[in-house]
Each structure stands twice: as C-alpha cells, then as structure tokens.
Amino acid sequence: YISVPGVHTLRFVDLLSEKNKSPEVESLIKHYIAQESMGKGFLGGIIGGTIGALLWATITITTMTEYAIGAIAVGALVGVGVRYLGKGVSKQFGYMGAYIAILSCFGGKVLLLTHVDALASNIINPIDLLFYYLAVTQAYYYSFRSILLTDEEYNKLKSIMDNNTPNMRLQEDSRSGSP
C-alpha cells in the first residue's frame, strides 16, 4: 500500500479473532462483510488467472524457455483479481483464490504443451510443484481486502480492543497494492 499520513491499513483477521467484541467492532465487521461478493471475486480470479496464464505462456513460447517463476505471478494476479472485484474479507475468498490459481497454473501448462513440442516431454517436474505451491500461497494471501482507517478511527478501535482484549494488538497490513 502507498503510505498515506493519517491512514492505517489493518488485516481483517485481527477484528475477527477478538474474543469480546464491542458493538463498534461488530458494526465494522458487518459493514465489511456486507460488501463482499463471491461471484465478482470468482470473476476477478478467473480474469487474473487467464491474463497470468496467457502472459506466462506467451513469454515461454517467445523465449522457448519455461520460467517456473511465472506460476507465482499467476497466483498473485488471481489473488489481486479476487480482492479487487470480490472485496472479500472472509476465508472463503482465500480458498477460492488458491483454487483458481492452481487451475490457472495447470491451464497455462497445458497451453504451453500444446504450443511448444520441446516441452512436451517435460509435463510436470518436481520444481513445477514447488512453484505451483507458491502460486497458491500468493493467491490466498492477496485475495483478502484490508481495512482502511483514519487516525481517529484507528485510535478509537485500538482503545476499544485494548480495553476488551489487552493481550491482542492490531497489526498493520504490509501488502503492496490497493485494498
């Protein structure tokens, strides 16, 4: 995220894990959950996965060299697509992003195999599985929306949580990109 003075980005999971939720926190949770759209998130993931798989295949076909790291980019694009269109804060969005990412990686691999005869003998090797795993983790991680709060909102929420759950601290979100 771009650092903006007076604006804090929080991970939604911090609010969900609070044990004794105050009415203010419950209201904030309901506000963000009401904005979720599973259908739009799915569409965003499919768009991101398709773009990622096509770019990965295009680079491989053009250079005649397969870059397994392209799978990570596919996963990140899926996650960002799910986040932008789905506005998800629930775990289901992460699971959906991970599922779409693995399908997109395999789709990109199939696309490569149909266009590059030299790769046909190397369908899937162990290093591919490692990069597919990394793609899934990227998709899961980037599929969630963060909460944007002003200084005043952040300090109020922090004091509420400090009073209700003194052992828990709010953590600012360090992901790059937009909410």
Side-chain angles (χ1 to χ4, degrees):
Y1 291 95
I2 298 171
S3 179
V4 177
V7 176
H8 300 269
T9 57
L10 300 177
R11 297 180 314 146
F12 190 77
V13 70
D14 292 334
L15 296 180
L16 292 177
S17 62
E18 183 188 351
K19 301 218 182 310
N20 301 314
K21 294 180 182 72
S22 66
E24 293 90 347
V25 173
E26 285 288 344
S27 174
L28 187 62
I29 290 170
K30 287 178 184 175
H31 170 74
Y32 277 91
I33 289 177
Q35 295 177 359
E36 291 182 325
S37 173
M38 209 52 148
K40 288 180 182 178
F42 182 77
L43 179 63
I46 293 295
I47 291 170
T50 302
I51 291 170
L54 288 173
L55 285 172
W56 185 26
T58 301
I59 290 169
T60 301
I61 291 168
T62 304
T63 63
M64 293 302 291
T65 305
E66 183 179 9
Y67 298 99
I69 199 165
I72 298 172
V74 170
L77 283 172
V78 168
V80 168
V82 169
R83 179 176 54 190
Y84 276 120
L85 293 185
K87 298 181 180 181
V89 291
S90 304
K91 283 187 177 183
Q92 293 91 332
F93 286 86
Y95 298 145
M96 179 174 55
Y99 181 72
I100 294 170
I102 197 69
L103 291 178
S104 298
C105 287
F106 282 121
K109 186 71 165 186
V110 168
L111 189 61
L112 291 175
L113 294 175
T114 59
H115 286 84
V116 181
D117 292 333
L119 296 175
S121 64
N122 185 14
I123 296 177
I124 292 185
N125 62 42
I127 199 75
D128 287 341
L129 298 177
L130 169 67
F131 281 96
Y132 293 170
Y133 169 77
L134 294 172
V136 166
T137 59
Q138 289 299 298
Y140 182 87
Y141 182 73
Y142 282 108
S143 290
F144 299 107
R145 178 182 184 193
S146 291
I147 299 173
L148 296 176
L149 300 173
T150 63
D151 274 337
E152 180 182 331
E153 293 168 327
Y154 176 79
N155 291 330
K156 181 179 177 185
L157 182 61
K158 186 173 177 352
S159 70
I160 290 168
M161 292 181 78
D162 286 345
N163 291 335
N164 291 340
T165 53
N167 295 332
M168 192 180 140
R169 294 183 2 216
L170 289 176
Q171 295 180 18
E172 297 220 24
D173 197 342
S174 61
R175 293 179 295 189
S176 60
S178 298

